[in-house]
Structure formats: C-alpha cells, structure tokens
Amino acid sequence: MTTYNADDGNPAERKKSKLLEQMRRVGESSGRNRTERLNRQPQAQPRQVTRFEDLPEYKRVATQRIAGELLGVANPFYRSHDAAAGATTRIGGREFVNFASYDYLATNTDPHVAARAKEAIDRFGISASASRLVAGERPGHVELERRLAAVYGVDAAVCFVSGYLTNVAAIGCLMGPQDLVIHDEFIHNSALAGIKLSGAVRRLFQHNDVENLENILKTLSSDFRRILVIVEGIYSMDGDIADLPALLELRARYGFWLMVDEAHALGILGKTGRGTFEHFDLDPRDVDIWMGTLSKTTSSCGGYIAGSSALADILKAEAGGFVYSVGLSPVLAAAAIAGLDILKSEPERTERLRRNGHLFLEEAEAAGLDTGLSMGHSVVPVIVGDSLRAAQLSNDLLAEGINVLPIIHPAVPEGMARLRFFITCNHTEEQIRRAVALTAEKLKSLEDRNFGLASLDMDKMMQLLPLAQAPGGS
C-alpha cells in the first residue's frame, strides 16, 4: 500500500499527508463500488441492424414488382432517352411521339436557349461551387430573379436549386409550431414536406372546394400566430385550375397568407402565359407568395419564390435551402432567362399549346376516356383504374410509338391510376388524334381481357413474395 512520507516534526506536513491518504482511500473505495455495480448490471445485447429488405417500404415495392411479373408487365419507368425529349423523342434508337415531357413551350431545344447556355459555360463554367453567400453571385442570378419578379408584377424573387427544395425551404422558413397551414388535398408532396419540416399544424380542404376551406377558417382558434393557405395554379395530377378569385375573396375576409404553386401554369395560363393571375385578370400583388419551377416552361432546373421585397429578404437570410445550399448553376440561370425571353417575345407558343390541350381533351372525351377534372391545358390524365392496368397500357402504347407514363399508387389512390399526358405547343393535330384513338383502343382491349389486379393469382403471388424480399430477390 502506498503511503505518504512527511516530516514527523512538521505538523502541517503530517496533516497534509493524512488528508491525501484519506482521499486516496475514498477514491479507491468509490472505484471498487462503481466496478461492482457495473459488474452486477446485465450485459447489453448487441443491437441487431435492421435490414432494408425487412422494411414495409421495401415490401410494398417488392409486392408491386411481383404483381407485374405475374402478369408479364414490364416496368414502364426509367426509360432511357437517346436525345432531347419534347413533342417527340428517341428511345432505344426508335422515334416516339412523346407525351412525357414538361417542355410545354418547346424551349429545351430552341437555338436561343442553347446559345445563352453555351455563353454562360464559356464565361462561368458549370457550377456556382457553393452557396451564393459563400461563393458570391453571378450576374445571371440577379437577372433571372429580376425577370421572374417582372413576370408576376411583384417586387422581388428568389431562386433555389430545386423545385422540390423551393417549397420545402420556403414553407419551413416562414412557418413554425405556433402556425397553421391549410392546403388543398391534392397539393404536391413538396409542400407537405415543407409543412412537416416547419412543425406547423396542418389541415386540408377538399379539392378546389372553397366553401370547405371557409368552413375550416370559421372554426379556427385565434391562437395561431400565422396562417398559410396553399393551392396550385394548375394541379399537376388532374389538370384543373385553382379558383383564385374566390380564394382572394376569402383572404380579404380572413387575413391569411395565400401561396400559389405555378409549376404547371407558367407559360400555359393567360393570354401571354404569365400564369393564373393573368388567366383570371387579377392583380398578382394580391397573392402573397408565388412559387414555381424552372424545369418546365423555361427548360432549366430549379425553383423560385416571387413576392414582396421583404419576403425575398427573409428567404435569402433565413431559408436553409438557400443559405446552406449551392447557388443555381450559371448555365441553368442563363437557360431560364432565355426561356423567359421566348415566353415574352413569342406568345403564339402559348396559344398553340392552348389549342393542342383543348383538342386533346375534346378527342379524349369523344372517345369515352375518363379525363377526370382536366380543363385541357398542360395536363390531361386518362384514368384507367388499378396500377397494373395503367402500367400495361403505357407499355402497349410504347409498342405503337407513343411514350406516355403511368401515375400509380401511392402517388394516387389505388383505383385512380392513370396515364398522364403532357401537351406541348409542338404536338401536331395528327399526333394528338392518333394518341387518343390508340389509348381508347388499347384500354378497351385490357378491359375485355379483365386485365389488372383482379386477375392476379393471389396465392401464387404470396408464395413468390418472400423470394422478392430476400437479398438479391427479383
């Protein structure tokens, strides 16, 4: 045992030595007691790592895959294109009429857009390399935001690198746990993700039902700090239009912020394609937040928020998706600006698109196809029933030279699966009439064969399911 030597003739040293010895013994005793307590505790069992194959999310994917294999339905998604896709495209070396492109005004292959993009690459390279706060801005960032604000007749705009991120970042920044967001039941998933991020209370109203929205507003507690109502100009799954005049009338009476998602409305609605406010001949400043994407009419990539200068200042200072995300690539900003040039200088493209959309809807209705709520603008769904039937119909049309993609569960409820036709200004009347006629013909063939989920051998499917869930299963 260790002892502390001290000068026996020095009382202070003897006292110090005694205190140190006591401290050592207390320390040893505490250590022994702690070790004994730890030894008495049951040993924790190693935590088992959950396999992704065991997750319910994977099992849903596997179930869909097996169902398709049992009926011989090839996966219609992720088709690889050999060239720029607009009203036509090339897949596997073969030409197709294409109804799976957001290139509404045919700006993607326009020489003016290509020239502006190439100039930007030559001057600035490809990437902004970091956030605009860190890496600085390029002239295209400022010009694009100024041009977007001018389209909507508002003070300012802010651009983000992703359309999805735009909704997530803006809603997540502006709203919080003390706030309420009310949205149309058919709102885009990106808005739902933004609401979840914000922690705000969420309520939905029946699709395009302003009376139902008012009933919700009437019953609200006054405890909420802020209230935001979110709608889409043109609804991306159904192709109908928000009742903006009625929404603005409610806004005037109930005092909420109104956010309108214009992703599928810019370039489509209004005499000159400026969107929903022009379609209804309303003052755009009455809408608090205009949101849109750059990947459709302007054939670029990214998203934007347009509104007051104060709104733009808040987002540029506080929105994580702007502050902590890389700035929009200079080449993408340049392409979007060129797309806006075409929107302004060639309104006849919007007029051609309007004619084509109305023609498609008229032909589809005459053929007895279920087009749901579509008003015949940029989006016309053909509702066909279950997911497997939609996938097979897409494959049958591909065999006939028409590329159109299905929208299946869980993006829409089972029983409401559809083919979603995107119309462009460059589609010809012959292409539209042929596509509608073939869709009606192929769908009838599937119905006559009772093709779909109801025709599955469920016992066989259940036998195969464990194999699909195993590692490497197919």
Side-chain angles (χ1 to χ4, degrees):
M1 182 175 66
T2 303
T3 59
Y4 293 88
N5 296 320
D7 184 356
D8 292 341
N10 188 329
E13 287 298 325
R14 288 199 302 270
K15 184 177 181 180
K16 178 180 178 181
S17 177
K18 187 175 180 179
L19 287 171
L20 289 172
E21 186 67 20
Q22 289 175 345
M23 291 172 63
R24 182 188 64 78
R25 289 173 180 172
V26 170
E28 285 181 350
S29 175
S30 298
R32 283 196 302 271
N33 292 339
R34 182 173 182 273
T35 301
E36 291 172 359
R37 289 196 303 272
L38 291 174
N39 289 338
R40 287 197 299 269
Q41 292 178 352
Q43 295 296 315
Q45 295 299 316
R47 180 180 176 86
Q48 295 296 317
V49 177
T50 302
R51 302 188 321 154
F52 291 114
E53 291 82 0
D54 295 330
L55 297 179
E57 294 89 339
Y58 175 75
K59 292 178 181 180
R60 285 196 295 269
V61 174
T63 301
Q64 284 186 337
R65 184 167 64 243
I66 289 178
E69 290 175 359
L70 286 173
L71 287 177
V73 179
N75 186 346
F77 304 108
Y78 303 106
R79 293 168 181 164
S80 181
H81 295 250
D82 304 333
T88 60
T89 190
R90 177 176 287 273
I91 301 173
R94 181 184 171 192
E95 292 288 336
F96 292 86
V97 178
N98 187 34
F99 291 96
S101 172
Y102 296 154
D103 187 17
Y104 295 127
L105 299 189
T107 55
N108 189 39
T109 54
D110 189 275
H112 175 63
V113 176
R116 289 294 299 267
K118 290 173 184 176
E119 291 170 5
I121 291 174
D122 291 342
R123 182 177 177 186
F124 300 108
I126 304 298
S127 175
S129 78
S131 75
R132 288 161 63 180
L133 281 74
V134 173
E137 294 190 316
R138 308 298 185 270
H141 294 139
V142 178
E143 181 182 356
L144 176 57
E145 289 172 346
R146 180 184 62 79
R147 295 284 297 276
L148 287 166
V151 166
Y152 289 97
V154 295
D155 297 334
V158 182
C159 287
F160 297 79
V161 293
S162 155
Y164 194 98
L165 177 68
T166 301
N167 268 335
V168 172
I171 298 168
C173 171
L174 295 170
M175 309 303 286
Q178 297 173 289
D179 304 326
L180 172 68
V181 180
I182 312 173
H183 63 85
D184 188 287
E185 63 177 324
F186 287 0
I187 204 70
H188 194 269
N189 178 269
S190 57
L192 299 179
I195 298 167
K196 183 176 181 180
L197 173 66
S198 74
V201 176
R202 180 173 72 92
R203 297 285 185 273
L204 61 84
F205 63 94
Q206 295 170 6
H207 178 54
N208 239 349
D209 189 335
V210 178
E211 289 185 8
N212 184 231
L213 171 59
E214 183 169 18
N215 289 336
I216 296 173
L217 291 167
K218 285 178 179 177
T219 62
L220 288 180
S221 165
S222 59
D223 293 339
F224 293 112
R225 181 185 58 161
R226 303 166 183 166
I227 298 174
L228 173 66
V229 173
I230 310 175
V231 299
E232 294 183 26
I234 291 181
Y235 284 88
S236 60
M237 291 292 178
D238 292 87
D240 56 338
I241 303 173
D243 189 351
L244 190 55
L247 289 164
L248 289 176
E249 194 275 331
L250 284 186
R251 175 183 174 274
R253 288 196 286 123
Y254 290 93
F256 53 79
W257 286 336
L258 179 60
M259 180 176 186
V260 182
D261 181 338
E262 292 283 276
H264 294 271
L266 178 67
I268 292 90
L269 293 181
K271 185 176 180 180
T272 62
R274 293 173 67 191
T276 310
F277 76 89
E278 188 180 40
H279 175 79
F280 288 110
D281 193 23
L282 297 169
D283 186 346
R285 292 179 179 270
D286 289 340
V287 171
D288 303 279
I289 306 170
W290 292 104
M291 178 270 170
T293 56
L294 301 172
S295 56
K296 300 170 180 65
T297 287
T298 59
S299 291
S300 182
C301 189
Y304 60 87
I305 296 290
S308 68
S309 295
L311 171 64
D313 287 346
I314 291 169
L315 294 178
K316 286 187 174 182
E318 302 286 342
F322 181 88
V323 175
Y324 300 106
S325 183
V326 66
L328 191 67
S329 167
V331 63
L332 293 176
I337 292 167
L340 293 177
D341 288 341
I342 293 170
L343 174 65
K344 183 176 181 179
S345 63
E346 300 183 43
E348 60 271 17
R349 296 197 190 200
T350 295
E351 178 56 34
R352 291 205 314 270
L353 172 59
R354 184 177 297 112
R355 290 199 304 269
N356 284 345
H358 290 165
L359 174 63
F360 192 103
L361 184 64
E362 290 167 3
E363 291 289 311
E365 290 177 342
L369 296 172
D370 183 357
T371 57
L373 303 171
S374 179
M375 296 181 177
H377 293 285
S378 51
V379 181
V380 183
V382 173
I383 300 171
V384 302
D386 66 59
S387 296
L388 285 177
R389 181 176 296 180
Q392 185 58 43
L393 181 57
S394 174
N395 290 336
D396 289 347
L397 289 172
L398 190 74
E400 298 290 341
I402 296 171
N403 184 50
V404 56
L405 272 291
I407 303 296
I408 63 175
H409 180 77
V412 293
E414 193 59 76
M416 293 295 289
R418 63 199 63 191
L419 298 189
R420 186 168 55 154
F421 289 82
F422 293 105
I423 317 301
T424 78
C425 67
N426 276 0
H427 280 118
T428 67
E429 287 191 20
E430 191 277 331
Q431 289 171 339
I432 291 171
R433 295 183 194 278
R434 180 172 180 270
V436 171
L438 281 170
T439 300
E441 174 190 324
K442 298 299 181 182
L443 179 57
K444 184 177 186 305
S445 175
L446 292 177
E447 291 170 346
D448 290 344
R449 290 158 48 196
N450 191 30
F451 184 94
L453 288 173
S455 64
L456 277 174
D457 184 339
M458 298 305 293
D459 290 336
K460 184 177 179 182
M461 181 173 164
M462 290 300 103
Q463 292 171 6
L464 292 175
L465 184 55
L467 296 177
Q469 294 168 4
S474 61

